């Protein structure tokens, strides 16, 4: 599981950089200012959680428990639901399709992010045998 999280973090990190560059250079003249801001929010939160997932993969080497594993799963789910729904929302708005349901997905991703952070904290507090605990 740690390796899986690290690989997904690397791939979604690369994707975040590509999407950010695409927004700055390719989408700026095409999207409205509001849509561009939404797209940039999606990239920013994706990147925050790429770093969280990277940390989770590394921490699993020291603190291997189900709470930390679930934190990583929730970070991935949050990136898909939160950032993915915002990317989709920008596209739908741009091509002027009716899809009010897309906005309802975004908060679910936010809940995944919050739950991931809380489970990460709880998982770290549960393990008392890890090297990082003994160093304190």
């Amino acid at each position: 599981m740690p390796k899986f999280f690290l690989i997904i973090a690397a791939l979604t990190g690369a994707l975040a950089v590509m999407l950010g560059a695409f927004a700055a250079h390719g989408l700026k003249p095409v999207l409205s200012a509001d849509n561009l801001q939404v797209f940039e929010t999606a990239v920013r939160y994706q990147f925050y959680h790429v770093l969280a997932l990277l940390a989770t993969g590394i921490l699993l080497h020291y603190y291997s428990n189900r709470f930390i594993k679930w934190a990583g799963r929730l970070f991935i789910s949050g990136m898909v639901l939160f950032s993915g729904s915002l990317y989709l929302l920008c596209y739908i708005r741009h091509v002027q399709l009716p899809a009010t349901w897309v906005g309802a997905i975004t908060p679910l991703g936010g809940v995944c992010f919050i739950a991931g952070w809380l489970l990460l904290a709880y998982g770290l507090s549960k393990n008392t045998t890890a090297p990082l605990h003994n160093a304190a």
Side-chain angles (χ1 to χ4, degrees):
M1 189 64 67
K3 186 176 181 179
F4 173 75
F5 287 160
L6 295 173
I7 291 169
I8 296 299
L11 293 174
T12 55
L15 181 62
V17 172
M18 289 186 286
L19 290 170
F22 180 58
H25 302 291
L27 293 180
K28 201 169 196 175
V30 176
L31 291 182
S32 68
D34 181 50
N35 267 354
L36 190 61
Q37 184 177 14
V38 169
F39 197 93
E40 289 171 350
T41 298
V43 171
R44 186 172 53 254
Y45 274 80
Q46 180 177 337
F47 218 108
Y48 293 156
H49 291 88
V50 162
L51 298 174
L53 187 59
L54 184 64
T56 301
I58 293 168
L59 288 168
L60 271 172
H61 285 289
Y62 300 102
Y63 297 86
S64 185
N65 64 51
R66 63 189 167 125
F67 302 107
I68 296 174
K69 288 178 185 171
W70 272 103
R73 292 174 183 138
L74 286 166
F75 290 145
I76 294 169
S77 299
M79 283 189 271
V80 171
L81 295 172
F82 184 88
S83 295
S85 68
L86 291 180
Y87 297 137
L88 183 59
L89 182 64
C90 289
Y91 173 75
I92 288 171
R93 283 180 180 173
H94 178 68
V95 297
Q96 299 176 344
L97 291 174
T100 55
W101 58 269
V102 176
I105 297 171
T106 309
L108 297 175
V111 169
C112 288
F113 286 152
I114 294 165
W117 285 108
L118 293 173
L119 282 177
L120 182 62
Y122 186 72
L124 291 172
S125 73
K126 293 302 288 179
N127 193 331
T128 59
T129 60
L132 294 177
H133 183 271
N134 295 333

